[in-house]
Amino acid sequence: MKEPMRQLYKVILLTTVIMLQACGSSEDKTVFSISADVSEVSFSNEFLQESTESIAINVSFVGDGVLVGFSPEAISAPWLEYRTENVTENSATVFIDVINAQFLLTDTYNTTLRLATSNEDSSKFAFHDIDISLLIWNLAVDTEKVSYSGTFGDETIPAQSISILTEEKEWTASTDVDWLSLDITSGIGETEIVVTPDISEFTEPGLQQGNIILTDIDSGEIKLVPVEVALDNVYLLADQTAVALSATNSISTLEKTVSVSNNADLDISWTATTDANWLTLTKDNNEQLTITADASLASANNNSSAQVTISADSGIAAISETITINFYNSSQDVSNNVITPLAINSSEIVTSPLKPVFYLGVGNELLTYHQYTGELESSVEISPEGTILEQLIIHPNGDYLLVKATEIVTQEDETSTEVVHRYSVSLDDYSITEIIDTDIISEPIAIVRLSGRYFVITQAFEFADENLNVLFWDAPNAFLVSKLAVASQANTLFALDNSTASFKRYIPQVNDFGDDKVSVSLTHEYHPELLADDQVIFDFMVTSDEANIYALSQSSEWISFDGDNFVDNGLLEASESVVTLSLVKNSNDQPNYYRFNSANELGFYLDVYDNHQTISSTTYTQGSQPANLRLSGDDQRLIIYVDSSSDGELDSQIELVTIP
């Protein structure tokens, strides 16, 4: 039997030895030979890019085995790796892989790989050389992908540019789709190319993909720059998607008017429908819908729920809008009342935008109270015993609450760790879902609706989905957000940056199909002119059409905005005896200021302003300074949390006050 070779022949430099046992002896008269299906192999790789190139070479031989290595004249190549597999008595497969190419400078690298066969005493020998080259080419551009985002129905999308960064390289540029055009298609060296998409022929929303093809003339190599155009779905949008109506013996809200628009700024004819016989829908010429409840047709002494669907009549396909209605119909007489005592967690109270209830945390329990009767409707344990519910954030439709609780866990070694629990609590059946595997870095502060979709925004101005996974964060421009407001008709977002006492206005870009599901672009940053350097803005609201900002500050309460410029109109109430304590927005887009007048013996009161900055009503309360203040969804009740606890004595209460 032939034995495997035990040494390499000095006439060649070989680094891999694969031998076979075979029959015969050193006196065998067989002529050794070796051949392969290639004699040259050429690889190419883009500069700074990792290579995945590999080739399989089929080898046939007559001899005692196969030796693979670099020829004596060749330079060992750290960019090449080889291995031999599938070895039989007369054949083998040699695999050649390119490695470490990302570390090489632009150039052409050459080496020679030698395949050999021989016997043990070197009396028989044959070899086959394979010349191998690796071209490292560079046609660098300033982007890995060009992404366009728009909405189906847009006439055009702004062009973008790419820059070729490689010096003294001759190149050509083209595209593989007919909806992309380039202003420059050939050149030498650094150049900027304007890339323009033509979306006029697209017939439906979705993701369109193509490539810019860049060709290096010297090497013939091709670089593809992917291009994507994401055309978002068209959404019909109502500026309110949760409407609370009510009727009692003493107060009622039987009507609500909502404005209807769309995220594409198109002229879309629409129709509103409902299955509820106790609702009347009236559309006017200003794209507004008035929703009216008839107490005589609705269930008495009960909550009635309904949905209003707004659908496009014809033409462009648009996703319908749904408005949820709750009608509380009661024969009771409503009066002011007080709930006491309560140890509310962190003064947190949230009111439902839909139902006649409000929510608060006491310990680890979520309590639900009726806004008219003051009765406790439910108490549900949310988090582990001994924890405190925090951050009650309600969905704009009143569907669920986001809550947080921190648990102190003691280990066996008596060390303690904090475990943060976050929950989503359904407000229909109080089912609890713990949210895990989140990646937000700061605390949530609001759930907002932008272009018909919902996002959680954190204090660091992260935009997350409802599972608290970040979708967008402009880290270099991040700041600490203290308050947020959405102008739903204008589809703009305002954030309060208290480090500069300024409002930041953003236009959101939301897309169902693009890589970025949401992003925002800053258009304005405004510091009120009348606000002194040492003054801050405690709170603010924005009307749905963004024409007016109402603020809680010492010098600026009403700021008007025309889409381009802000005007600080100063205080709405300028009396020296008046101190403004709180600001809340009602569902009619009006500011409600809670104030204290030291010159009036009644003291604390609520001023409701109409859309012309005139007081439409004033309501005096029971004379307590609030720790927290909320309006009911139907704007009929003021919920005031008063915390007078001291020296360990519990003396806190909730006042329920009717607003005429």
Side-chain angles (χ1 to χ4, degrees):
M1 298 292 292
K2 295 180 180 178
E3 298 293 330
M5 281 188 285
R6 296 190 178 94
Q7 60 184 1
L8 299 180
Y9 294 101
K10 295 181 180 179
V11 292
I12 57 173
L13 174 63
L14 297 173
T15 59
T16 299
V17 182
I18 303 294
M19 295 300 298
L20 293 175
Q21 289 185 342
C23 295
S25 68
S26 61
E27 297 180 359
D28 195 332
K29 302 301 183 181
T30 304
V31 177
F32 280 21
S33 64
I34 187 169
S35 63
D37 57 358
V38 296
S39 295
E40 293 183 0
V41 175
S42 297
F43 294 105
S44 67
N45 197 73
E46 187 177 358
F47 180 57
L48 296 180
Q49 301 299 310
E50 186 175 358
S51 175
T52 58
E53 282 197 275
S54 179
I55 188 172
I57 299 173
N58 296 315
V59 180
S60 300
F61 63 92
V62 176
D64 286 352
V66 177
L67 296 172
V68 183
F70 296 105
S71 72
E73 300 82 10
I75 300 173
S76 178
W79 47 268
L80 185 144
E81 188 175 69
Y82 50 84
R83 64 191 187 277
T84 306
E85 297 181 5
N86 309 320
V87 180
T88 69
E89 290 187 355
N90 53 22
S91 67
T93 305
V94 175
F95 291 89
I96 303 175
D97 305 311
V98 175
I99 61 171
N100 302 321
Q102 66 270 30
F103 304 118
L104 299 177
L105 298 176
T106 55
D107 203 346
T108 300
Y109 298 84
N110 297 283
T111 190
T112 301
L113 197 66
R114 175 161 291 182
L115 312 179
T117 185
S118 182
N119 59 2
E120 188 171 346
D121 62 6
S122 304
S123 60
K124 295 184 178 182
F125 175 74
F127 68 90
H128 176 88
D129 283 348
I130 301 175
D131 294 326
I132 301 174
S133 65
L134 171 63
L135 170 66
I136 302 297
W137 60 278
N138 184 18
L139 192 57
V141 294
D142 63 346
T143 183
E144 294 183 357
K145 182 165 67 173
V146 181
S147 297
Y148 298 91
S149 182
T151 304
F152 183 66
D154 290 347
E155 293 184 0
T156 60
I157 290 182
Q160 296 185 36
S161 297
I162 66 169
S163 294
I164 295 177
L165 306 177
T166 306
E167 298 180 359
E168 299 180 358
K169 274 283 184 179
E170 186 177 2
W171 49 264
T172 62
S174 60
T175 71
D176 59 4
V177 289
D178 56 9
W179 47 263
L180 270 183
S181 62
L182 311 176
D183 69 331
I184 298 174
T185 57
S186 63
I188 298 175
E190 297 181 359
T191 308
E192 183 176 87
I193 302 174
V194 178
V195 185
T196 305
D198 177 8
I199 61 172
S200 61
E201 300 300 320
F202 295 162
T203 58
E204 61 183 7
L207 185 66
Q208 306 290 336
Q209 296 176 302
N211 292 287
I212 300 168
I213 305 169
L214 300 175
T215 303
D216 182 342
I217 296 299
D218 291 339
S219 66
E221 295 295 337
I222 291 175
K223 179 183 181 68
L224 299 181
V225 180
V227 180
E228 292 184 350
V229 175
L231 291 182
D232 191 24
N233 286 307
V234 177
Y235 284 78
L236 288 172
L237 304 172
D239 62 351
Q240 293 183 62
T241 54
V243 171
L245 302 176
S246 58
T248 69
N249 275 350
S250 50
I251 56 176
S252 64
T253 299
L254 295 173
E255 185 176 284
K256 190 70 65 177
T257 298
V258 300
S259 296
V260 178
S261 59
N262 61 79
N263 62 322
D265 293 328
L266 297 173
D267 185 12
I268 300 177
S269 177
W270 52 267
T271 301
T273 58
T274 184
D275 292 334
N277 66 338
W278 46 269
L279 280 181
T280 301
L281 307 178
T282 306
K283 178 183 177 182
D284 67 14
N285 294 327
N286 296 317
E287 300 302 305
Q288 291 185 317
L289 177 69
T290 299
I291 303 168
T292 307
D294 187 337
S296 66
L297 298 177
S299 177
N301 298 307
N302 202 354
N303 284 296
S304 296
S305 296
Q307 288 188 330
V308 173
T309 302
I310 300 174
S311 304
D313 290 337
S314 60
I316 190 169
I319 295 177
S320 299
E321 177 72 287
T322 299
I323 304 172
T324 303
I325 314 293
N326 188 86
F327 180 37
Y328 176 66
N329 189 18
S330 173
S331 59
Q332 74 179 104
D333 290 319
V334 177
S335 59
N336 296 348
N337 51 0
V338 176
I339 306 170
T340 185
L342 285 172
I344 300 177
N345 304 341
S346 305
S347 304
E348 290 190 83
I349 301 174
V350 292
T351 54
S352 172
L354 192 64
K355 300 176 182 178
V357 297
F358 60 92
Y359 308 95
L360 52 89
V362 174
N364 68 333
E365 294 181 300
L366 179 68
L367 277 57
T368 305
Y369 282 89
H370 200 285
Q371 71 186 34
Y372 287 116
T373 67
E375 295 177 352
L376 177 64
E377 290 198 342
S378 69
S379 177
V380 181
E381 288 189 2
I382 304 298
S383 56
E385 185 177 354
T387 60
I388 304 295
L389 292 184
E390 305 174 78
Q391 296 179 356
L392 275 62
I393 302 173
I394 196 165
H395 189 278
N397 284 345
D399 298 335
Y400 67 84
L401 275 172
L402 289 179
V403 297
K404 172 189 172 183
T406 302
E407 182 182 14
I408 306 299
V409 178
T410 303
Q411 311 295 333
E412 292 183 359
D413 60 1
E414 298 185 355
T415 59
S416 297
T417 57
E418 287 189 353
V419 178
V420 175
H421 299 279
R422 300 188 189 274
Y423 304 96
S424 175
V425 182
S426 169
L427 298 177
D428 288 330
D429 58 8
Y430 295 101
S431 58
I432 304 165
T433 302
E434 184 164 7
I435 304 174
I436 56 177
D437 297 329
T438 68
D439 61 6
I440 54 174
I441 65 169
S442 61
E443 297 301 321
I445 58 174
I447 305 172
V448 300
R449 188 175 194 246
L450 303 172
S451 299
R453 281 138 287 187
Y454 295 94
F455 305 95
V456 179
I457 301 182
T458 72
Q459 291 175 333
F461 211 44
E462 303 164 279
F463 289 71
D465 61 22
E466 293 173 279
N467 291 316
L468 303 183
N469 290 309
V470 176
L471 301 172
F472 171 78
W473 187 41
D474 183 9
N477 297 307
F479 62 99
L480 186 63
V481 182
S482 55
K483 296 288 182 179
L484 288 167
V486 174
S488 52
Q489 292 179 30
N491 194 34
T492 52
L493 176 69
F494 289 76
L496 176 58
D497 183 352
N498 253 337
S499 67
T500 58
S502 62
F503 302 106
K504 294 182 177 180
R505 177 185 182 265
Y506 295 89
I507 295 178
Q509 296 85 40
V510 183
N511 201 299
D512 289 334
F513 304 104
D515 290 339
D516 295 327
K517 300 303 180 186
V518 60
S519 62
V520 293
S521 55
L522 178 67
T523 63
H524 296 76
E525 184 169 359
Y526 175 71
H527 176 85
E529 293 98 320
L530 301 177
L531 195 68
D533 291 339
D534 60 344
Q535 294 178 339
V536 299
I537 302 169
F538 298 100
D539 201 353
F540 80 105
M541 58 157 280
V542 180
T543 55
S544 295
D545 60 2
E546 73 174 6
N548 298 288
I549 297 175
Y550 297 99
L552 180 61
S553 73
Q554 294 169 276
S555 58
S556 302
E557 287 184 337
W558 171 37
I559 299 160
S560 52
F561 178 59
D562 63 4
D564 294 313
N565 301 300
F566 294 89
V567 176
D568 187 349
N569 300 291
L571 296 174
L572 294 170
E573 174 62 71
S575 172
E576 291 184 0
S577 62
V578 173
V579 177
T580 303
L581 303 172
S582 295
L583 168 65
V584 287
K585 177 182 178 180
N586 66 20
S587 62
N588 291 322
D589 236 10
Q590 299 166 333
N592 291 232
Y593 282 96
Y594 192 75
R595 293 178 166 137
F596 174 73
N597 189 345
S598 59
N600 189 320
E601 62 181 11
L602 295 177
F604 295 89
Y605 61 97
L606 183 77
D607 275 342
V608 180
Y609 287 82
D610 63 18
N611 296 326
H612 302 287
Q613 295 76 48
T614 301
I615 295 174
S616 59
S617 70
T618 297
T619 303
Y620 285 91
T621 67
Q622 299 191 19
S624 300
Q625 183 166 335
N628 199 351
L629 182 146
R630 293 288 184 267
L631 279 177
S632 62
D634 62 359
D635 303 325
Q636 295 291 346
R637 296 282 264 182
L638 185 64
I639 295 98
I640 306 170
Y641 172 58
V642 179
D643 186 2
S644 303
S645 302
S646 62
D647 299 327
E649 296 290 331
L650 179 62
D651 189 23
S652 57
Q653 64 185 34
I654 290 179
E655 298 178 10
L656 303 176
V657 180
T658 298
I659 302 173

